């Protein structure tokens, strides 16, 4: 706007930090609209080939935008909403979050996206557990990730935009309401009943070598998945959900609707189907969080619908069931948020059952024949051997590999972006290891989701063996040693080039510093380009081979129809001599 000969400029902080990203997304939206208009025009003038090509381009742009919305925008909204609803729990304000965003916008957005993704993942895992307990058909309004007909990419292609937008808005409303119910409302109740209990003293941003952010990442990515992966914790949670459903069903006369008329038979069938689904390639995945990983990533498994008895006043009873469920979730959230208060009241005095539970978990890790023989020396020997194997594997896969991976990520991504050339970057091994754990989980999930290759085969075999049947020689030879060697080469080769070869060329100190700081991302970019080039060459070779086989291959014999036709014409008695 122009006022009195002076120019007044209004700036938006968010757009100033992410103007390139916003411009790119708006450009893709405008491109999609232009493709729709051109496709309509081509259909009107009956240009079939041009219309088909424009339609394919529109589908690519549409799927890309929907993937960004589902994987990028939706977890980010959930993460920000979780942060806003939990401000009073940490004695923070929106002004503090605005300052954090202004100081480090990329890091802030990534942390909120990470928290939102964890929330979405564990919510999906809980829905998978509910499907194992409830009658098939109860959760008809939620997409079944175990449905073999469920294909998210195919849905993105075939469903119109307005249906995707409606589903997106509905998901935001549902997830946001759950956050209000299980986070914001319990915090208000706790502040009303125990005014001095909150806030929690947590600092997300710290320059200390051991940051509490690293501890939170470990809790979300190591401790909580490790607890859920144990069959005891998951079975206890499943039995608790079943007990609640059983009680609510009989109180509201909804037992047939929630659990079915033949509960035992249904549970047996569901267990057999689940076992059949996981025994194809993952025989030991039946009782762990890995089952949720595989169900989410592979989208395969049993589906079905069971009939039920519809009681009188069915809509009213369903409404009462929803109210009862909300009250239960609120109570569970209050208990989880006030557990530190219980520790304070108990003054740290915990009786002996906790030790006994720990002992039962350790005994459950032993081989089955060791428990049956009831020999103290044999138990001690097997237990020590099993413990030593587990420690060695944990040190390599959960210690050294994440540390090297986090350090490599720090050198390739973080240091070039955050530290100027005239400053020296500082590395904190604890934070690098914590981030490496997160990166290792993401790489493992992408590997299991991708095509079959040696790393995927090895990871599947290690998961299938589990802790009881751990094979130390196989893990060291096939998984730990190759991965550690690759990471060490990725760290040592650029360092050797920058510190050993570059000084021999007689470069200036400024150039030397530039080479040392930029060689890691440069070599990564070269490696990615080489991989893409190799992939494209293989694809062109396959396409060429496919076209050649379609044109000339008859059974197991290649036939050149042009030469065969020429020989046939020359051999004909009616053909003229050459």
């Amino acid at each position: 706007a122009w006022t009195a000969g002076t120019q007044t400029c209004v700036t938006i902080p968010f757009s100033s930090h992410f103007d390139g990203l916003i411009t790119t997304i708006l450009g893709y939206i405008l491109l999609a609209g232009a493709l729709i208009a051109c496709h309509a025009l081509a259909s009107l003038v009956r240009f079939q080939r041009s219309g088909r090509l424009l339609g394919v381009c529109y589908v690519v742009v549409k799927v890309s935008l929907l993937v960004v919305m589902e994987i990028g925008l939706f977890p980010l909204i959930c993460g920000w909403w979780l942060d806003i609803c939990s401000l009073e729990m940490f004695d923070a304000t929106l002004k503090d979050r605005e300052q954090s965003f202004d100081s480090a916008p990329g890091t802030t957005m990534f942390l909120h996206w990470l928290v939102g993704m964890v929330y979405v993942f564990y919510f999906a895992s809980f829905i998978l557990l509910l499907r194992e307990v409830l009658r098939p058909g109860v959760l008809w309004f939620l997409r079944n990730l175990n449905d073999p007909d469920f294909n998210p990419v195919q849905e993105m292609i075939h469903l119109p935009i307005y249906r995707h937008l409606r589903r997106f808005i509905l998901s935001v409303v549902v997830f946001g309401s759950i956050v209000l119910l299980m986070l914001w409302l319990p915090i208000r109740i706790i502040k009303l009943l125990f005014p001095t209990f909150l806030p929690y003293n947590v600092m997300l941003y710290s320059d200390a070598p051991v940051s509490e952010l690293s501890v939170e990442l470990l809790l979300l990515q190591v401790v909580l998945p490790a607890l859920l992966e144990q069959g005891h914790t998951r079975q206890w949670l499943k039995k608790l959900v079943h007990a609640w459903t059983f009680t609510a069903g009989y109180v509201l006369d909804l037992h047939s609707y929630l659990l079915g008329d033949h509960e035992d038979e249904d549970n047996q069938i569901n267990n057999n189907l689940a076992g059949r689904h996981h025994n194809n390639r993952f025989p030991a995945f039946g009782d762990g969080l890995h089952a949720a990983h595989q169900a989410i990533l592979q989208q395969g498994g049993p589906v079905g619908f069971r009939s039920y008895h519809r009681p009188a006043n069915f809509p009213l009873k369903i409404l009462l069931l929803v109210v009862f469920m909300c009250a239960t979730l609120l109570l569970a959230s209050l208990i989880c948020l006030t557990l530190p208060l219980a520790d304070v009241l108990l003054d740290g005095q915990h009786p002996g059952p906790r030790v006994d539970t720990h002992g039962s978990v350790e005994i459950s890790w032993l081989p089955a024949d060791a428990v049956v023989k009831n020999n103290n020396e044999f138990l001690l020997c097997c237990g020590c051997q099993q413990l030593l194997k587990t420690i060695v594997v944990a040190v390599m896969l959960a210690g050294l590999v994440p540390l090297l991976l986090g350090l490599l990520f720090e050198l390739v991504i973080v240091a070039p972006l955050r530290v100027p050339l005239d400053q020296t970057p500082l590395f904190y091994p604890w934070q690098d290891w914590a981030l490496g754990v997160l990166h290792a989980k993401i790489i493992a999930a992408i590997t299991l989701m991708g095509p079959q290759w040696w790393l995927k085969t090895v990871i599947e075999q290690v998961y299938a063996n589990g802790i009881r049947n751990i094979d130390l020689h196989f893990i060291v030879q096939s998984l730990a040693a190759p991965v550690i060697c690759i990471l060490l080469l990725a760290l040592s080769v650029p360092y050797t080039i920058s510190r050993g070869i570059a000084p021999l060329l007689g470069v200036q100190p400024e150039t030397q510093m530039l080479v040392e700081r930029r060689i890691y991302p440069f070599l990564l970019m070269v490696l990615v380009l080489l991989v893409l080039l190799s992939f494209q060459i293989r694809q062109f070779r396959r396409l060429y081979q496919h076209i050649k086989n379609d044109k000339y291959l008859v059974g197991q014999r290649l036939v050149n129809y042009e030469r065969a036709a020429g020989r046939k014409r020359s051999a004909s008695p009616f053909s003229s001599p050459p």
Side-chain angles (χ1 to χ4, degrees):
W2 292 85
T3 57
T6 61
Q7 183 179 3
T8 302
C9 181
V10 180
T11 60
I12 301 176
F14 183 84
S15 62
S16 64
H17 290 295
F18 301 98
D19 50 353
L21 178 62
I22 296 175
T23 304
T24 304
I25 294 177
L26 291 178
Y28 274 108
I29 294 175
L30 294 177
L31 179 60
L35 289 173
I36 294 175
C38 294
H39 182 268
L41 181 61
S43 302
L44 183 63
V45 297
R46 302 185 180 219
F47 289 168
Q48 296 182 356
R49 293 185 177 179
S50 300
R52 190 179 298 111
L53 179 60
L54 292 171
V56 172
C57 294
Y58 167 72
V59 167
V60 172
V61 175
K62 172 187 174 183
V63 171
S64 302
L65 288 175
L66 291 176
V67 168
V68 170
M69 289 179 59
E70 293 286 342
I71 301 179
L73 183 60
F74 181 71
L76 185 61
I77 293 175
C78 293
W80 275 107
W81 186 239
L82 282 167
D83 192 7
I84 292 173
C85 292
S86 62
L87 288 176
E88 295 183 353
M89 186 167 63
F90 302 107
D91 194 19
T93 60
L94 289 175
K95 188 68 175 177
D96 298 332
R97 296 296 181 260
E98 183 180 356
Q99 292 177 357
S100 301
F101 178 78
D102 291 336
S103 61
T107 304
T108 305
M109 297 294 285
F110 171 74
L111 290 177
H112 286 84
W113 175 86
L114 177 63
V115 173
M117 183 63 77
V118 171
Y119 168 57
V120 172
F121 172 76
Y122 283 111
F123 183 85
S125 302
F126 184 72
I127 295 300
L128 291 176
L129 186 140
L130 285 180
R131 290 189 183 277
E132 297 180 8
V133 176
L134 299 177
R135 176 186 60 85
V138 175
L139 302 177
W140 56 270
F141 51 90
L142 295 176
R143 284 184 292 183
N144 188 5
L145 300 178
N146 287 339
D147 189 357
D149 297 330
F150 174 69
N151 191 339
V153 178
Q154 191 173 6
E155 283 189 355
M156 292 178 184
I157 294 175
H158 292 289
L159 294 182
I161 289 292
Y162 74 91
R163 291 192 60 180
H164 287 290
L165 291 177
R166 184 178 63 182
R167 182 180 294 176
F168 181 82
I169 295 173
L170 181 61
S171 300
V172 170
V173 171
V174 171
F175 279 77
S177 302
I178 294 174
V179 172
L180 284 175
L181 179 65
M182 299 190 65
L183 191 60
W184 182 81
L185 187 58
I187 291 174
R188 301 299 301 175
I189 295 175
I190 292 174
K191 289 181 71 68
L192 181 63
L193 298 179
F194 308 102
T196 60
F197 179 67
L198 292 176
Y200 296 143
N201 294 323
V202 176
M203 296 179 60
L204 291 179
Y205 305 98
S206 175
D207 294 332
V210 182
S211 175
E212 295 191 15
L213 175 60
S214 304
V215 178
E216 293 179 356
L217 287 176
L218 291 180
L219 290 176
L220 290 176
Q221 299 296 326
V222 179
V223 178
L224 186 58
L227 290 176
L228 293 178
E229 285 169 6
Q230 298 301 321
H232 300 280
T233 306
R234 193 172 188 276
Q235 290 301 322
W236 291 342
L237 181 60
K238 188 175 179 181
K239 290 179 180 179
L240 182 62
V241 172
H242 183 273
W244 184 93
T245 308
F246 184 85
T247 305
Y250 272 102
V251 169
L252 300 174
D253 193 17
L254 293 175
H255 183 271
S256 176
Y257 174 75
L258 294 175
L259 298 174
D261 295 326
H262 304 284
E263 180 184 346
D264 296 335
E265 181 181 354
D266 292 344
N267 290 336
Q268 184 66 28
I269 292 175
N270 289 335
N271 291 333
N272 292 337
L273 288 174
R276 186 189 313 165
H277 168 58
H278 293 293
N279 283 337
N280 290 334
R281 291 166 57 188
F282 302 95
F285 275 17
D287 294 325
L289 187 62
H290 304 303
H293 276 278
Q294 294 303 314
I296 290 175
L297 297 178
Q298 294 184 355
Q299 296 111 17
V303 293
F305 179 83
R306 301 283 176 84
S307 60
Y308 63 94
H309 172 68
R310 187 184 181 94
N313 300 323
F314 183 71
L316 178 60
K317 292 181 177 179
I318 292 295
L319 180 60
L320 293 176
L321 178 66
V322 173
V323 173
F324 188 27
M325 179 185 64
C326 293
T328 306
L329 292 176
L330 178 61
L331 181 61
S333 179
L334 282 172
I335 294 174
C336 293
L337 291 176
T338 54
L339 280 179
L341 179 62
D343 292 337
V344 173
L345 295 177
L346 290 175
D347 197 16
Q349 296 178 2
H350 302 286
R354 178 172 297 182
V355 179
D356 295 338
T357 303
H358 181 69
S360 64
V361 173
E362 289 182 350
I363 293 176
S364 66
W365 286 358
L366 297 177
D369 53 353
V371 179
V372 173
K373 289 185 178 181
N374 196 16
N375 190 325
N376 293 332
E377 296 181 357
F378 187 74
L379 280 173
L380 182 60
C381 180
C382 292
C384 293
Q385 184 180 5
Q386 192 80 7
L387 182 61
L388 289 176
K389 289 182 179 180
T390 306
I391 291 175
V392 172
V393 172
V395 168
M396 290 187 297
L397 298 183
L400 185 58
V401 171
L403 178 60
L404 296 177
L405 192 60
L407 183 58
L408 183 62
F409 180 79
E410 184 87 15
L411 291 170
V412 173
I413 304 296
V414 179
L417 292 178
R418 299 188 60 180
V419 183
L421 291 177
D422 57 347
Q423 298 180 5
T424 302
L426 298 178
F427 301 102
Y428 299 114
W430 176 263
Q431 294 186 5
D432 294 338
W433 176 77
L435 292 176
V437 172
L438 175 62
H439 299 149
K441 286 178 64 67
I442 295 174
I443 292 173
I446 295 175
T447 303
L448 293 175
M449 187 173 56
Q452 196 72 27
W453 59 307
W454 70 269
L455 184 59
K456 181 179 180 180
T457 304
V458 172
I459 294 177
E460 289 175 353
Q461 185 63 38
V462 173
Y463 275 169
N465 292 337
I467 298 179
R468 292 184 178 181
N469 301 320
I470 188 171
D471 189 350
L472 182 60
H473 182 265
F474 175 78
I475 293 176
V476 172
Q477 184 178 7
S478 302
L479 181 60
V483 172
I484 292 174
C485 289
I486 292 173
L487 292 175
L488 287 177
L489 285 175
L491 289 170
S492 60
V493 170
Y495 183 84
T496 303
I497 294 175
S498 61
R499 293 295 184 94
I501 299 179
L504 298 178
L505 301 177
V507 297
Q508 298 294 327
E510 294 80 6
T511 307
Q512 173 72 21
M513 180 63 66
L514 179 64
V515 171
E516 292 178 0
R517 298 289 298 278
R518 296 294 184 262
I519 189 171
Y520 285 96
F522 174 75
L523 291 182
L524 177 64
M525 183 177 61
V526 172
L527 181 62
V528 170
L529 291 177
L530 291 177
V531 170
L532 291 178
L533 182 61
S534 176
F535 176 75
Q536 293 297 332
I537 292 175
R538 289 200 303 269
Q539 292 297 107
F540 278 117
R541 285 180 178 177
R542 291 178 182 177
L543 179 61
Y544 170 75
Q545 190 69 25
H546 179 71
I547 295 174
K548 184 177 70 174
N549 293 340
D550 288 344
K551 188 174 182 180
Y552 298 110
L553 187 62
V554 178
Q556 299 295 327
R557 182 179 178 184
L558 287 173
V559 179
N560 192 331
Y561 293 101
E562 296 179 356
R563 293 184 178 180
R567 288 196 300 268
K568 185 176 180 181
R569 286 194 302 269
S570 62
S572 175
F574 300 100
S575 59
S576 58

PDB file of all heavy atoms in Angstrom, residues 120-130 145 228 234 289 292-293 296:
ATOM      1  N   VAL A 120       0.290 -39.691  15.671  1.00  0.00           N
ATOM      2  CA  VAL A 120      -0.521 -40.375  14.659  1.00  0.00           C
ATOM      3  C   VAL A 120      -0.183 -41.862  14.601  1.00  0.00           C
ATOM      4  O   VAL A 120      -1.079 -42.721  14.481  1.00  0.00           O
ATOM      5  CB  VAL A 120      -0.314 -39.707  13.282  1.00  0.00           C
ATOM      6  CG1 VAL A 120      -0.983 -40.514  12.173  1.00  0.00           C
ATOM      7  CG2 VAL A 120      -0.864 -38.284  13.296  1.00  0.00           C
ATOM      8  N   PHE A 121       1.108 -42.190  14.720  1.00  0.00           N
ATOM      9  CA  PHE A 121       1.503 -43.589  14.622  1.00  0.00           C
ATOM     10  C   PHE A 121       0.956 -44.407  15.788  1.00  0.00           C
ATOM     11  O   PHE A 121       0.404 -45.496  15.594  1.00  0.00           O
ATOM     12  CB  PHE A 121       3.028 -43.701  14.582  1.00  0.00           C
ATOM     13  CG  PHE A 121       3.529 -45.113  14.666  1.00  0.00           C
ATOM     14  CD1 PHE A 121       3.449 -45.949  13.573  1.00  0.00           C
ATOM     15  CD2 PHE A 121       4.057 -45.610  15.841  1.00  0.00           C
ATOM     16  CE1 PHE A 121       3.888 -47.253  13.641  1.00  0.00           C
ATOM     17  CE2 PHE A 121       4.501 -46.910  15.921  1.00  0.00           C
ATOM     18  CZ  PHE A 121       4.420 -47.740  14.810  1.00  0.00           C
ATOM     19  N   TYR A 122       1.100 -43.899  17.004  1.00  0.00           N
ATOM     20  CA  TYR A 122       0.620 -44.659  18.149  1.00  0.00           C
ATOM     21  C   TYR A 122      -0.907 -44.704  18.204  1.00  0.00           C
ATOM     22  O   TYR A 122      -1.480 -45.660  18.727  1.00  0.00           O
ATOM     23  CB  TYR A 122       1.193 -44.088  19.451  1.00  0.00           C
ATOM     24  CG  TYR A 122       2.627 -44.491  19.665  1.00  0.00           C
ATOM     25  CD1 TYR A 122       3.653 -43.564  19.581  1.00  0.00           C
ATOM     26  CD2 TYR A 122       2.956 -45.812  19.924  1.00  0.00           C
ATOM     27  CE1 TYR A 122       4.970 -43.945  19.759  1.00  0.00           C
ATOM     28  CE2 TYR A 122       4.274 -46.197  20.100  1.00  0.00           C
ATOM     29  CZ  TYR A 122       5.276 -45.264  20.016  1.00  0.00           C
ATOM     30  OH  TYR A 122       6.572 -45.641  20.179  1.00  0.00           O
ATOM     31  N   PHE A 123      -1.557 -43.692  17.671  1.00  0.00           N
ATOM     32  CA  PHE A 123      -3.015 -43.763  17.561  1.00  0.00           C
ATOM     33  C   PHE A 123      -3.416 -44.868  16.588  1.00  0.00           C
ATOM     34  O   PHE A 123      -4.351 -45.641  16.857  1.00  0.00           O
ATOM     35  CB  PHE A 123      -3.553 -42.408  17.089  1.00  0.00           C
ATOM     36  CG  PHE A 123      -5.048 -42.354  17.000  1.00  0.00           C
ATOM     37  CD1 PHE A 123      -5.809 -42.067  18.112  1.00  0.00           C
ATOM     38  CD2 PHE A 123      -5.697 -42.591  15.792  1.00  0.00           C
ATOM     39  CE1 PHE A 123      -7.194 -42.019  18.036  1.00  0.00           C
ATOM     40  CE2 PHE A 123      -7.069 -42.546  15.700  1.00  0.00           C
ATOM     41  CZ  PHE A 123      -7.825 -42.258  16.829  1.00  0.00           C
ATOM     42  N   ALA A 124      -2.730 -44.971  15.448  1.00  0.00           N
ATOM     43  CA  ALA A 124      -3.011 -46.045  14.501  1.00  0.00           C
ATOM     44  C   ALA A 124      -2.695 -47.413  15.098  1.00  0.00           C
ATOM     45  O   ALA A 124      -3.425 -48.391  14.865  1.00  0.00           O
ATOM     46  CB  ALA A 124      -2.202 -45.828  13.216  1.00  0.00           C
ATOM     47  N   SER A 125      -1.633 -47.508  15.893  1.00  0.00           N
ATOM     48  CA  SER A 125      -1.310 -48.772  16.554  1.00  0.00           C
ATOM     49  C   SER A 125      -2.386 -49.171  17.552  1.00  0.00           C
ATOM     50  O   SER A 125      -2.745 -50.349  17.669  1.00  0.00           O
ATOM     51  CB  SER A 125       0.050 -48.661  17.263  1.00  0.00           C
ATOM     52  OG  SER A 125       1.069 -48.322  16.354  1.00  0.00           O
ATOM     53  N   PHE A 126      -2.936 -48.194  18.268  1.00  0.00           N
ATOM     54  CA  PHE A 126      -4.011 -48.490  19.216  1.00  0.00           C
ATOM     55  C   PHE A 126      -5.281 -48.923  18.483  1.00  0.00           C
ATOM     56  O   PHE A 126      -6.020 -49.797  18.959  1.00  0.00           O
ATOM     57  CB  PHE A 126      -4.283 -47.261  20.077  1.00  0.00           C
ATOM     58  CG  PHE A 126      -5.310 -47.485  21.142  1.00  0.00           C
ATOM     59  CD1 PHE A 126      -5.018 -48.265  22.253  1.00  0.00           C
ATOM     60  CD2 PHE A 126      -6.571 -46.926  21.033  1.00  0.00           C
ATOM     61  CE1 PHE A 126      -5.967 -48.474  23.238  1.00  0.00           C
ATOM     62  CE2 PHE A 126      -7.522 -47.128  22.011  1.00  0.00           C
ATOM     63  CZ  PHE A 126      -7.224 -47.907  23.119  1.00  0.00           C
ATOM     64  N   ILE A 127      -5.554 -48.348  17.327  1.00  0.00           N
ATOM     65  CA  ILE A 127      -6.706 -48.771  16.535  1.00  0.00           C
ATOM     66  C   ILE A 127      -6.531 -50.216  16.063  1.00  0.00           C
ATOM     67  O   ILE A 127      -7.489 -51.011  16.054  1.00  0.00           O
ATOM     68  CB  ILE A 127      -6.909 -47.826  15.338  1.00  0.00           C
ATOM     69  CG1 ILE A 127      -7.281 -46.422  15.833  1.00  0.00           C
ATOM     70  CG2 ILE A 127      -7.993 -48.344  14.399  1.00  0.00           C
ATOM     71  CD1 ILE A 127      -8.553 -46.370  16.639  1.00  0.00           C
ATOM     72  N   LEU A 128      -5.302 -50.581  15.694  1.00  0.00           N
ATOM     73  CA  LEU A 128      -5.043 -51.966  15.306  1.00  0.00           C
ATOM     74  C   LEU A 128      -5.277 -52.915  16.471  1.00  0.00           C
ATOM     75  O   LEU A 128      -5.806 -54.021  16.291  1.00  0.00           O
ATOM     76  CB  LEU A 128      -3.609 -52.100  14.795  1.00  0.00           C
ATOM     77  CG  LEU A 128      -3.295 -51.420  13.465  1.00  0.00           C
ATOM     78  CD1 LEU A 128      -1.814 -51.554  13.156  1.00  0.00           C
ATOM     79  CD2 LEU A 128      -4.118 -51.996  12.341  1.00  0.00           C
ATOM     80  N   LEU A 129      -4.909 -52.507  17.676  1.00  0.00           N
ATOM     81  CA  LEU A 129      -5.162 -53.339  18.848  1.00  0.00           C
ATOM     82  C   LEU A 129      -6.658 -53.444  19.126  1.00  0.00           C
ATOM     83  O   LEU A 129      -7.158 -54.514  19.507  1.00  0.00           O
ATOM     84  CB  LEU A 129      -4.428 -52.758  20.059  1.00  0.00           C
ATOM     85  CG  LEU A 129      -4.450 -53.580  21.351  1.00  0.00           C
ATOM     86  CD1 LEU A 129      -3.097 -53.505  22.022  1.00  0.00           C
ATOM     87  CD2 LEU A 129      -5.523 -53.083  22.306  1.00  0.00           C
ATOM     88  N   LEU A 130      -7.404 -52.351  18.937  1.00  0.00           N
ATOM     89  CA  LEU A 130      -8.858 -52.402  19.127  1.00  0.00           C
ATOM     90  C   LEU A 130      -9.516 -53.362  18.146  1.00  0.00           C
ATOM     91  O   LEU A 130     -10.476 -54.059  18.490  1.00  0.00           O
ATOM     92  CB  LEU A 130      -9.453 -51.003  18.963  1.00  0.00           C
ATOM     93  CG  LEU A 130      -9.241 -50.007  20.098  1.00  0.00           C
ATOM     94  CD1 LEU A 130      -9.903 -48.682  19.758  1.00  0.00           C
ATOM     95  CD2 LEU A 130      -9.790 -50.548  21.403  1.00  0.00           C
ATOM     96  N   LEU A 145      -6.387 -50.583   8.048  1.00  0.00           N
ATOM     97  CA  LEU A 145      -5.060 -50.736   7.458  1.00  0.00           C
ATOM     98  C   LEU A 145      -4.740 -52.190   7.155  1.00  0.00           C
ATOM     99  O   LEU A 145      -3.784 -52.472   6.423  1.00  0.00           O
ATOM    100  CB  LEU A 145      -4.005 -50.156   8.402  1.00  0.00           C
ATOM    101  CG  LEU A 145      -4.162 -48.665   8.724  1.00  0.00           C
ATOM    102  CD1 LEU A 145      -3.097 -48.230   9.708  1.00  0.00           C
ATOM    103  CD2 LEU A 145      -4.092 -47.827   7.471  1.00  0.00           C
ATOM    104  N   LEU A 228       6.331 -51.561  24.524  1.00  0.00           N
ATOM    105  CA  LEU A 228       5.205 -52.094  23.771  1.00  0.00           C
ATOM    106  C   LEU A 228       5.576 -53.331  22.978  1.00  0.00           C
ATOM    107  O   LEU A 228       4.710 -54.159  22.672  1.00  0.00           O
ATOM    108  CB  LEU A 228       4.661 -51.015  22.825  1.00  0.00           C
ATOM    109  CG  LEU A 228       4.014 -49.810  23.511  1.00  0.00           C
ATOM    110  CD1 LEU A 228       3.557 -48.803  22.474  1.00  0.00           C
ATOM    111  CD2 LEU A 228       2.856 -50.230  24.384  1.00  0.00           C
ATOM    112  N   ARG A 234       1.908 -55.537  25.882  1.00  0.00           N
ATOM    113  CA  ARG A 234       0.837 -55.494  24.887  1.00  0.00           C
ATOM    114  C   ARG A 234      -0.326 -56.382  25.286  1.00  0.00           C
ATOM    115  O   ARG A 234      -1.492 -56.023  25.095  1.00  0.00           O
ATOM    116  CB  ARG A 234       1.389 -55.922  23.528  1.00  0.00           C
ATOM    117  CG  ARG A 234       0.447 -55.604  22.374  1.00  0.00           C
ATOM    118  CD  ARG A 234       1.122 -55.858  21.043  1.00  0.00           C
ATOM    119  NE  ARG A 234       0.303 -55.372  19.954  1.00  0.00           N
ATOM    120  CZ  ARG A 234      -0.681 -56.055  19.405  1.00  0.00           C
ATOM    121  NH1 ARG A 234      -0.968 -57.271  19.860  1.00  0.00           N
ATOM    122  NH2 ARG A 234      -1.393 -55.552  18.412  1.00  0.00           N
ATOM    123  N   LEU A 289       5.107 -54.600  18.671  1.00  0.00           N
ATOM    124  CA  LEU A 289       4.856 -53.389  17.921  1.00  0.00           C
ATOM    125  C   LEU A 289       5.261 -53.551  16.472  1.00  0.00           C
ATOM    126  O   LEU A 289       4.788 -52.813  15.601  1.00  0.00           O
ATOM    127  CB  LEU A 289       5.624 -52.225  18.558  1.00  0.00           C
ATOM    128  CG  LEU A 289       5.342 -50.834  18.004  1.00  0.00           C
ATOM    129  CD1 LEU A 289       3.886 -50.488  18.224  1.00  0.00           C
ATOM    130  CD2 LEU A 289       6.237 -49.806  18.646  1.00  0.00           C
ATOM    131  N   ALA A 292       2.326 -53.901  14.292  1.00  0.00           N
ATOM    132  CA  ALA A 292       1.716 -52.633  13.901  1.00  0.00           C
ATOM    133  C   ALA A 292       2.509 -51.966  12.786  1.00  0.00           C
ATOM    134  O   ALA A 292       1.933 -51.410  11.846  1.00  0.00           O
ATOM    135  CB  ALA A 292       1.636 -51.695  15.110  1.00  0.00           C
ATOM    136  N   HIS A 293       3.852 -52.025  12.887  1.00  0.00           N
ATOM    137  CA  HIS A 293       4.692 -51.487  11.803  1.00  0.00           C
ATOM    138  C   HIS A 293       4.336 -52.146  10.477  1.00  0.00           C
ATOM    139  O   HIS A 293       4.089 -51.487   9.467  1.00  0.00           O
ATOM    140  CB  HIS A 293       6.176 -51.740  12.109  1.00  0.00           C
ATOM    141  CG  HIS A 293       6.781 -50.710  12.995  1.00  0.00           C
ATOM    142  ND1 HIS A 293       7.246 -49.506  12.532  1.00  0.00           N
ATOM    143  CD2 HIS A 293       6.984 -50.697  14.332  1.00  0.00           C
ATOM    144  CE1 HIS A 293       7.736 -48.809  13.534  1.00  0.00           C
ATOM    145  NE2 HIS A 293       7.585 -49.505  14.639  1.00  0.00           N
ATOM    146  N   ILE A 296       0.858 -51.319   9.133  1.00  0.00           N
ATOM    147  CA  ILE A 296       0.762 -49.966   8.598  1.00  0.00           C
ATOM    148  C   ILE A 296       1.505 -49.855   7.275  1.00  0.00           C
ATOM    149  O   ILE A 296       1.049 -49.216   6.332  1.00  0.00           O
ATOM    150  CB  ILE A 296       1.314 -48.962   9.620  1.00  0.00           C
ATOM    151  CG1 ILE A 296       0.360 -48.878  10.821  1.00  0.00           C
ATOM    152  CG2 ILE A 296       1.494 -47.589   9.012  1.00  0.00           C
ATOM    153  CD1 ILE A 296       0.870 -48.004  11.932  1.00  0.00           C
TER     154      ILE A 296
END
